[in-house]
Amino acid sequence: MSLHAYLAECRMAEARRLLTATDMPLTEVALSAGFGSQSSFYSRFTAANALTPGKYRRLHRAWQGA
């Protein structure tokens, strides 16, 4: 795994954690996870997870509450 791929996966893991563990707005999640902008976060997150960040949050929070 290249350094670039490793850092990208670390950012994605942190974004997933923040989405499920906090009520932070998506813009704040994007910046806190190390993405340069909300638009790059949104497109990369959706490509990597097959869900938008908002849908990911709703799905995983509903699953955790069940």
Side-chain angles (χ1 to χ4, degrees), residues 2 4 13 18 25 27 31-32 36 49 55 60-61:
S2 71
H4 179 75
L18 290 170
T27 303
L31 296 176
S32 294
N49 297 284
K55 286 182 182 178
H60 285 82
R61 284 197 169 175

Side-chain angles (χ1 to χ4, degrees), residues 18-20 22-26 29 45 52-62:
L18 290 170
L19 286 169
T20 56
T22 73
D23 290 325
M24 292 168 70
L26 293 180
V29 169
F45 189 93
T52 64
K55 286 182 182 178
Y56 182 92
R57 175 179 267 172
R58 286 189 299 275
L59 177 70
H60 285 82
R61 284 197 169 175

Side-chain angles (χ1 to χ4, degrees), residues 1-63:
M1 177 182 281
S2 71
L3 180 59
H4 179 75
Y6 175 75
L7 289 175
E9 182 51 39
C10 288
R11 287 184 185 115
M12 198 60 62
E14 178 64 359
R16 287 190 297 262
R17 185 190 73 76
L18 290 170
L19 286 169
T20 56
T22 73
D23 290 325
M24 292 168 70
L26 293 180
T27 303
E28 215 173 307
V29 169
L31 296 176
S32 294
F35 292 89
S37 69
Q38 185 176 357
S39 62
S40 69
F41 166 62
Y42 191 89
S43 63
R44 290 179 186 180
F45 189 93
T46 303
N49 297 284
L51 292 170
T52 64
K55 286 182 182 178
Y56 182 92
R57 175 179 267 172
R58 286 189 299 275
L59 177 70
H60 285 82
R61 284 197 169 175
W63 183 80

